[in-house]
Amino acid sequence: MNFKDKNILVIGGSSGIGLATVNQLIAAGASVYNLSRSPSESWSNAVTHLQYDVLGDLSSLAAELPDQLHGLVYSVGSINLKPFNRLTEEDFLHDYQLNVMGAIKVIQQALKSLKAAKSSSIVLISTVAVKTGMSFHASIASAKGAVEGLALSLASEFVAQGIRVNVVAPSLTETPLAMALLGTPEKKEASAKRHPMGRYGKPEDLSSAISYLLSDDSSWVTGQVLGVDGGMGNLK
Ligand SMILES: NC(=O)c1ccc[n+]([C@@H]2O[C@H](COP(=O)([O-])OP(=O)(O)OC[C@H]3O[C@@H](n4cnc5c(N)ncnc54)[C@H](OP(=O)(O)O)[C@@H]3O)[C@@H](O)[C@H]2O)c1
């Protein structure tokens, strides 16, 4: 994949799946803009850091973006797993704000630049738990279900403007966000065994799929939800 002369905005590129995506895009020649609360020490100088909290005011973001944006990936999210009767209204609203409203606010700010590129791609991140019912996932699965609905609506609305919109839906992936679930050798072994392919995900499993969907290699792909999940979504 070649990202030479492409400007890509990564939201949440300082850690985990977003960080692996930044590294892959830089290696493929992209100019990367990252939005997060703090920068990563492992970035090369090629990354332009935009310091924002997606839960806050993003109204000045558009002015900091390049005139043309060829891609946007929203890699911010949460894993807030609790029995349904312990989930509060605040839990549900927080997951919605972080996973859905954050993406909406960033896309609204980036839309002018995405349109100006004539051909561009948005990638949002869901979870395998939207299509595979999992206990304790009521809050995150309902927020990510909204992410998938948002993506399909925008894919339709933006198709005439040359903006593609797709989703990747990971299963458990070894990132700082997932440490509570993968923090001990026993948890790692049990999590690997739960997957039909016998292992949990690595950030690079996801960044490869995200980079494909951002690239011109997927120029005829829009409105799709791509499971990147070691078989968890579709296999028994
Ligand atoms: N890991 C998994 O097992 C898994 C499974 C299914 C789905 N997912 C989804 O995959 C995506 C990436 O997750 P990850 O595991 O890579 O998470 P991660 O390692 O925690 O990285 C999250 C990124 O988002 C940024 N971020 C968090 N809160 C933010 C805020 N309020 N404002 C701005 N930036 C913020 C963080 O940077 P700062 O802290 O510097 O702001 C960081 O760069 C998420 O959508 C997640 O729901 C992950």
Side-chain angles (χ1 to χ4, degrees):
M1 280 174 277
N2 185 359
F3 283 92
K4 194 171 173 300
D5 301 324
K6 305 273 191 198
N7 297 322
I8 311 287
L9 174 62
V10 180
I11 301 95
S14 63
S15 172
I17 293 166
L19 176 58
T21 304
V22 167
N23 290 339
Q24 193 165 346
L25 291 170
I26 293 286
S31 297
V32 175
Y33 295 75
N34 171 78
L35 185 157
S36 55
R37 292 167 299 183
S38 40
S40 164
E41 284 174 8
S42 65
W43 287 336
S44 71
N45 292 336
V47 179
T48 304
H49 179 50
L50 307 170
Q51 188 173 347
Y52 284 91
D53 183 334
V54 298
L55 298 175
D57 177 15
L58 299 185
S59 58
S60 57
L61 175 60
E64 295 200 58
L65 296 176
D67 292 343
Q68 293 189 8
L69 255 189
H70 304 90
L72 179 159
V73 52
Y74 188 81
S75 188
V76 176
S78 41
I79 304 181
N80 180 22
L81 308 185
K82 287 187 198 171
F84 181 65
N85 63 1
R86 282 190 28 219
L87 282 166
T88 63
E89 184 173 348
E90 285 70 36
D91 286 323
F92 282 98
L93 292 175
H94 178 75
D95 279 344
Y96 194 87
Q97 289 285 351
L98 197 63
N99 289 277
V100 190
M101 278 316 303
I104 290 169
K105 290 192 294 183
V106 171
I107 294 167
Q108 285 181 333
Q109 289 292 310
L111 200 49
K112 190 169 169 222
S113 298
L114 289 162
K115 280 184 193 167
K118 305 289 186 211
S119 170
S120 56
S121 168
I122 296 172
V123 180
L124 304 182
I125 306 189
S126 179
T127 166
V128 68
V130 171
K131 71 181 296 189
T132 304
M134 293 182 182
S135 301
F136 310 142
H137 283 66
S139 179
I140 187 59
S142 50
K144 293 297 197 181
V147 167
E148 293 189 13
L150 172 70
L152 264 68
S153 298
L154 296 185
S156 176
E157 195 166 328
F158 297 163
V159 71
Q161 293 155 63
I163 305 173
R164 298 180 296 111
V165 187
N166 292 288
V167 177
V168 296
S171 185
L172 186 60
T173 303
E174 190 171 23
T175 70
L177 184 67
M179 270 311 106
L181 302 171
L182 290 170
T184 65
E186 294 75 23
K187 286 183 178 176
K188 286 186 173 180
E189 192 184 339
S191 297
K193 277 189 184 151
R194 279 194 300 117
H195 289 79
M197 295 186 78
R199 68 171 176 89
Y200 48 83
K202 300 188 298 287
E204 292 72 21
D205 293 316
L206 276 304
S207 61
S208 297
I210 293 166
S211 298
Y212 163 70
L213 290 170
L214 289 173
S215 77
D216 292 340
D217 290 6
S218 61
S219 61
W220 209 43
V221 180
T222 193
Q224 299 296 320
V225 179
L226 175 59
V228 184
D229 58 13
M232 196 77 157
N234 283 350
L235 309 185
K236 278 197 176 171

